[in-house]
Amino acid sequence: MYMESQTTHLRELLQEIAHLNAAIALLNWDQEVFMSPGSAQARANTLASLSARHHELVIATVLQNEVTRLEGLPDGALDARETALVREIAHDLRLAVKLPTEFVARITEATSRGQMVWQAARAANDFNQFAPVLEEIIALNREKAEYLGFTNSPYDALLDTFETGLTSSEVTKVFTPLKERLIPLLKQIAARTTAKRSDLEGNFSKESQLQLSRDVATAMGYSFDHGRLDLSTHPFSTSFHPTDARITTRVDEQDFWVCLGASMHETGHALYEQGLPAADFGSPLGEAASTGIHESQSRSWENIIGRSKPFWEHWYPELQRRYPEPFAHINLDQFLPALNEVRPSFIRVEADEVSYNLHIILRAELERDLIEGTLNVADLPKAWNAKFKEFFGLDVPSDALGVLQDVHWSCGYFGYFPTYALGNLYSAQLWAAVRRDIPTIDTSIAKADYAPFLGWMREHIHRYGRQYRPAELLTRATGESLNPEYFTAYLQERYGMSASTE
Ligand code: MG
């Protein structure tokens, strides 16, 4: 694929690391999909050992020297892609060398164990079971922030690992006005909502739902020759190579959208992975731009397309054919508002798209306070419930429906939640650009022809890998830097609150 060039040796070194990374990712996938609970400690130890080995390869002198040599080349010696490759790998290495190998092993072991403890605690609805390991994981994340370094807040150092350049103050700057718009907008829309998701309940077998997910994913452009769909507690996608990008989903036998919505979401992620340049496997040019850009892809498919009228013009007759009960008695104009019922509810992953970002802002505020040390783990459930009342007007009935619902903190992912809201904001801005560039996009979607949409994403997002930082990639794709107005305008248009987008 690549001619012998200045970066050939660097690419070879990075591929070795990428193969080990793929093996680690596969073990993580197995842990979520197949592994028995009794194997948890052994798997935690295996992952800790392999992660330490991975870290040693990343910080090895040979790699450092090669990057230093490339950074020292005269201007013009590298083309634009190679220049970006060296810039990104130098950035990664500068962070990686700050983390001691024994620390990487410690945090990997604690978070692998943490996930199993969280699963048991959630099932038992018992926060106290989870609290000690959560305290340990928070302490490890604060230690990590100290190693990585920061100017204002330790949370900055953690945010930067998911969205390069993102800071706590920028998160606040975007989220605070968004929260102030969304709290009243949610109340307003919910008050007018009469249709109910529960009107769409029925008896939908697990196998038939998985088949529907496979059919929709295939229509979206996902290749089952280069991935697979399985079940897990918490749906996710993972990728070992652009030719092996996997997804998981979950099934509720009464509510078909739990499975299909999750499947479309994870397929959106996997389409990004399958669309990355395979020739750049192992290098930053073959990796997604950021966690937030990744989420923009999943949310575009799940919400902007998957909850839209054009999408269902094709798929609703198909749904009626597969499930005459109850859909034979419900027409499309009744179905859509029921699918898109807007109502404050407890579980983030089941939230409507008006509520969703408020769930994220709640978590972002709490995790910032946990990392900055202004909130203790012992006080976390109370703080969660108080904010929930403030944002949604609801009393949280149990920790399983509250603070214990998400896997992220048990995995040590502090700084990850804000990227979910960014993904929503990016997706609305990208959608405005798609509609501008492809005026016939709704007609294509109504025919289940997603090639124009996927093609636009391939051209403007996927093929670049990490050639551009997230903010620049968004600007190049849409002609504008991040503008949250696109998201609120999109909500107002979809939920008929005003004609502000006309
Ligand atoms: Mg996602």
Side-chain angles (χ1 to χ4, degrees):
M1 295 281 182
Y2 272 84
M3 308 278 287
E4 187 78 12
S5 79
Q6 286 286 359
T7 56
T8 301
H9 185 47
L10 174 64
R11 287 168 180 278
E12 285 165 2
L13 292 170
L14 293 176
Q15 284 213 356
E16 190 188 347
I17 297 170
H19 290 308
L20 181 54
N21 211 24
I24 291 169
L26 180 60
L27 287 171
N28 272 313
W29 173 84
D30 170 77
Q31 174 171 311
E32 298 299 313
V33 174
F34 285 125
M35 193 187 79
S36 300
S39 317
Q41 188 60 54
R43 179 57 51 87
N45 295 343
T46 300
L47 285 169
S49 171
L50 290 178
S51 297
R53 176 73 190 129
H54 178 265
H55 188 64
E56 281 168 7
L57 287 175
V58 170
I59 63 173
T61 316
V62 55
L63 185 56
Q64 301 285 333
N65 290 346
E66 188 56 14
V67 172
T68 305
R69 182 185 75 78
L70 290 164
E71 284 187 303
L73 291 176
D75 283 354
L78 301 175
D79 67 20
R81 294 274 292 167
E82 290 176 316
T83 303
L85 162 60
V86 174
R87 178 198 72 221
E88 289 304 298
I89 200 68
H91 169 265
D92 292 355
L93 293 189
R94 241 161 242 138
L95 292 179
V97 294
K98 292 178 178 174
L99 300 176
T101 301
E102 64 78 25
F103 171 78
V104 173
R106 262 193 295 136
I107 195 168
T108 307
E109 189 281 325
T111 53
S112 182
R113 175 164 42 85
Q115 288 169 60
M116 302 315 271
V117 174
W118 164 77
Q119 275 190 17
R122 189 176 71 156
N125 186 29
D126 181 7
F127 181 76
N128 291 332
Q129 272 186 37
F130 182 48
V133 74
L134 179 60
E135 269 176 24
E136 199 183 326
I137 289 169
I138 290 167
L140 285 162
N141 267 277
R142 292 170 69 170
E143 189 179 344
K144 182 175 178 179
E146 292 294 334
Y147 289 131
L148 295 176
F150 55 87
T151 312
N152 295 313
S153 163
Y155 191 45
D156 291 348
L158 303 177
L159 286 166
D160 182 73
T161 64
F162 296 104
E163 201 76 4
T164 310
L166 187 64
T167 62
S168 187
S169 71
E170 278 180 53
V171 168
T172 305
K173 205 179 84 193
V174 175
F175 283 7
T176 303
L178 186 62
K179 175 173 81 172
E180 283 158 9
R181 296 274 304 267
L182 289 177
I183 291 175
L185 189 66
L186 172 60
K187 277 208 186 86
Q188 231 181 331
I189 298 176
R192 295 184 1 170
T193 302
T194 50
K196 287 191 167 57
R197 263 277 288 288
S198 57
D199 294 343
L200 307 180
E201 283 178 2
N203 274 303
F204 314 118
S205 73
K206 185 188 279 187
E207 196 36 61
S208 70
Q209 291 198 55
L210 291 175
Q211 190 55 51
L212 178 63
S213 287
R214 285 189 204 101
D215 293 344
V216 172
T218 301
M220 286 164 63
Y222 178 76
S223 167
F224 278 92
D225 283 340
H226 302 106
R228 46 180 292 135
L229 173 70
D230 293 280
L231 290 166
S232 65
T233 313
H234 197 95
F236 68 101
S237 70
T238 186
S239 175
F240 319 130
H241 187 271
T243 60
D244 195 353
R246 302 186 185 189
I247 52 184
T248 70
T249 189
R250 67 197 177 104
V251 169
D252 177 329
E253 294 200 330
Q254 273 72 57
D255 183 349
F256 82 98
W257 182 247
V258 169
C259 178
L260 184 59
S263 299
M264 290 186 74
H265 180 100
E266 301 308 338
T267 302
H269 281 304
L271 285 169
Y272 188 5
E273 293 290 333
Q274 289 185 341
L276 290 168
D280 290 305
F281 171 71
S283 104
L285 299 177
E287 289 173 0
S290 73
T291 316
I293 297 290
H294 227 307
E295 190 69 3
S296 77
Q297 300 303 294
S298 58
R299 298 298 274 181
S300 292
W301 287 101
E302 175 195 4
N303 286 336
I304 292 178
I305 292 180
R307 294 174 179 274
S308 74
K309 187 165 188 185
F311 175 82
W312 285 104
E313 279 171 6
H314 172 85
W315 286 100
Y316 194 57
E318 188 56 34
L319 196 70
Q320 289 177 310
R321 191 183 64 75
R322 295 184 193 210
Y323 303 122
E325 286 300 327
F327 299 117
H329 320 289
I330 300 169
N331 67 36
L332 181 59
D333 290 331
Q334 297 165 319
F335 169 80
L336 275 171
L339 178 70
N340 288 321
E341 178 190 4
V342 173
R343 197 168 311 283
S345 64
F346 297 107
I347 299 292
R348 172 184 63 87
V349 297
E350 293 169 9
D352 61 78
E353 49 183 348
V354 184
S355 308
Y356 190 90
N357 281 353
L358 286 172
H359 285 272
I360 296 307
I361 295 169
L362 177 146
R363 288 155 177 77
E365 292 181 354
L366 293 173
E367 68 175 19
R368 174 199 62 205
D369 294 349
L370 288 167
I371 293 297
E372 290 182 350
T374 58
L375 174 63
N376 296 318
V377 167
D379 300 324
L380 176 60
K382 214 165 59 182
W384 177 290
N385 296 349
K387 263 192 210 296
F388 210 88
K389 182 83 177 174
E390 180 197 337
F391 288 14
F392 299 99
L394 295 176
D395 294 305
V396 178
S398 70
D399 289 339
L401 289 173
V403 69
L404 282 176
Q405 67 183 270
D406 291 306
V407 71
H408 303 64
W409 290 338
S410 76
C411 302
Y413 294 167
F414 284 83
Y416 191 120
F417 278 122
T419 68
Y420 283 136
L422 287 180
N424 287 324
L425 302 180
Y426 295 158
S427 71
Q429 188 165 333
L430 290 167
W431 177 239
V434 169
R435 287 216 292 194
R436 191 183 57 221
D437 289 354
I438 314 173
T440 54
I441 193 71
D442 282 348
T443 319
S444 301
I445 291 172
K447 289 187 291 196
D449 174 12
Y450 308 116
F453 181 80
L454 181 59
W456 192 95
M457 290 298 174
R458 292 262 194 260
E459 183 187 340
H460 291 89
I461 304 288
H462 303 177
R463 71 186 169 108
Y464 291 115
R466 285 169 62 191
Q467 184 172 347
Y468 305 112
R469 293 268 165 95
E472 188 183 353
L473 184 65
L474 184 72
T475 304
R476 283 177 168 268
T478 67
E480 200 179 333
S481 59
L482 176 62
N483 180 354
E485 289 298 316
Y486 284 105
F487 179 71
T488 43
Y490 158 80
L491 288 183
Q492 284 170 333
E493 186 187 343
R494 174 157 291 181
Y495 295 94
M497 291 313 291
S498 79
S500 68
T501 54
E502 299 303 309

